[in-house]
C-alpha cells in the first residue's frame, strides 16, 4: 500500500501578507453566556424571590392568579432577561422554541411537566421544586404545571424562574404531524417568556 503525503502551505506562508485584526472576532454563538451561567442566574433569582427581595413585584395581597399564567421580569439588560412565572393548572405553553435565545429555569415551588421534542417524538419529564433545566438553541418543548404540583414548595403557587440570553425577541410554535415530524405553525415577535401570557 502506498501512502502519499499532501504538502499544505503553512499558515505563516499563506497569511503572511494579511494585516493583523484590530478588532475582536465575535463568537458564533448569540451570547457570551453559557447554559451553566443561565442556571446560576435562575438559581440566584429563586433565592432572591424566597428572601423577599422581589416582594414589590409580586401580586398584590399575595393573591396569585388562578385562571391564567402570570409573569414578572426580575431583571433585564442587553445580555439576559430573568423572569418569575406562576403556573396555573391545565395551561400549556404550546410546543415552541425560543428562536435565537438560550434558556434555563429553576423550579421554585410546585412542579412542572415538560414535553420536549427529541427529533422523533415528545419525551416527558417532571421538574420538582429545586430542579433545573437548560435549553440550547433549537430546543422545542411544551411546559405545564404538573398535575401533582399541589403546594409542594415553600410557596403556594407553582413558580419558576427563567433566564433567556440574549433576551427573547421571537418564538416559533409547532405541531407534531401524522408522519412523526414537526411542522412550524407560526412565528411571533415577543419579549414574553414561555409563550403568550
Amino acid at each position: 500500500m502506498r501512502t502519499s503525503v499532501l504538502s499544505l502551505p503553512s499558515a505563516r506562508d499563506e497569511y503572511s501578507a494579511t494585516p493583523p485584526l484590530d478588532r475582536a472576532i465575535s463568537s458564533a454563538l448569540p451570547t457570551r453566556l453559557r447554559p451553566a451561567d443561565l442556571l446560576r442566574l435562575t438559581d440566584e433569582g429563586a433565592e432572591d424571590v424566597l428572601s423577599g427581595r422581589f416582594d414589590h413585584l409580586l401580586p398584590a395581597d399575595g393573591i396569585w392568579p388562578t385562571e391564567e399564567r402570570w409573569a414578572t421580569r426580575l431583571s433585564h439588560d442587553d445580555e439576559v432577561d430573568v423572569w418569575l412565572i406562576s403556573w396555573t393548572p391545565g395551561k400549556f405553553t404550546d410546543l415552541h422554541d425560543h428562536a435565537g435565545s438560550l434558556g434555563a429555569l429553576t423550579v421554585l415551588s410546585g412542579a412542572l411537566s415538560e414535553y420536549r421534542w427529541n427529533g422523533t417524538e415528545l419525551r416527558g419529564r417532571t421538574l420538582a421544586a429545586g430542579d433545573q433545566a437548560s435549553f440550547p438553541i433549537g430546543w422545542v418543548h411544551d411546559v405545564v404545571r404538573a398535575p401533582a404540583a399541589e403546594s409542594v414548595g415553600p410557596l403556594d403557587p407553582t413558580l419558576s424562574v427563567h433566564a433567556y440570553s440574549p433576551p427573547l425577541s421571537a418564538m416559533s410554535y409547532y405541531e407534531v404531524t401524522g408522519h412523526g415530524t414537526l411542522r412550524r405553525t407560526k412565528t411571533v415577535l415577543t419579549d414574553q417568556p414561555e409563550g403568550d401570557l
Side-chain angles (χ1 to χ4, degrees):
M1 178 173 187
R2 192 171 167 200
T3 305
S4 64
V5 177
L6 292 174
S7 175
L8 298 174
S10 71
R12 186 181 62 206
D13 294 335
E14 190 174 347
Y15 300 108
S16 60
T18 305
L21 292 175
D22 60 354
R23 60 180 171 77
I25 298 174
S26 65
S27 166
L29 295 176
T31 176
R32 72 174 182 85
L33 297 177
R34 298 166 300 146
D37 299 318
L38 298 180
L39 290 169
R40 180 185 50 77
L41 288 171
T42 62
D43 192 46
E44 290 171 358
E47 287 179 23
D48 288 344
V49 169
L50 288 174
S51 73
R53 177 173 176 221
F54 294 112
D55 282 356
H56 64 285
L57 298 176
L58 302 183
D61 302 323
I63 300 172
W64 295 89
T66 58
E67 299 299 317
E68 298 296 327
R69 287 182 300 122
W70 173 92
T72 189
R73 186 179 276 135
L74 301 178
S75 64
H76 169 78
D77 60 30
D78 291 341
E79 196 166 54
V80 66
D81 250 350
V82 180
W83 292 83
L84 174 66
I85 302 176
S86 171
W87 300 83
T88 55
K91 298 292 182 181
F92 290 81
T93 60
D94 293 326
L95 205 54
H96 67 278
D97 66 20
H98 302 111
S101 299
L102 302 174
L105 70 82
T106 295
V107 179
L108 180 56
S109 62
L112 298 175
S113 293
E114 179 194 32
Y115 302 94
R116 179 182 65 86
W117 181 254
N118 71 1
T120 57
E121 64 183 352
L122 289 173
R123 299 289 303 247
R125 66 176 169 171
T126 299
L127 301 167
D131 288 345
Q132 295 187 297
S134 64
F135 318 117
I137 291 175
W139 190 272
V140 176
H141 69 162
D142 191 359
V143 181
V144 65
R145 179 178 168 157
E150 301 303 325
S151 303
V152 179
L155 302 172
D156 188 27
T158 294
L159 298 173
S160 56
V161 175
H162 298 240
Y164 303 98
S165 184
L168 287 174
S169 60
M171 295 173 70
S172 291
Y173 291 86
Y174 300 86
E175 66 182 10
V176 179
T177 70
H179 303 294
T181 60
L182 280 185
R183 177 183 317 144
R184 184 175 31 214
T185 58
K186 66 180 176 177
T187 298
V188 297
L189 298 178
T190 184
D191 66 351
Q192 297 294 307
E194 295 304 309
D196 296 327
L197 290 169

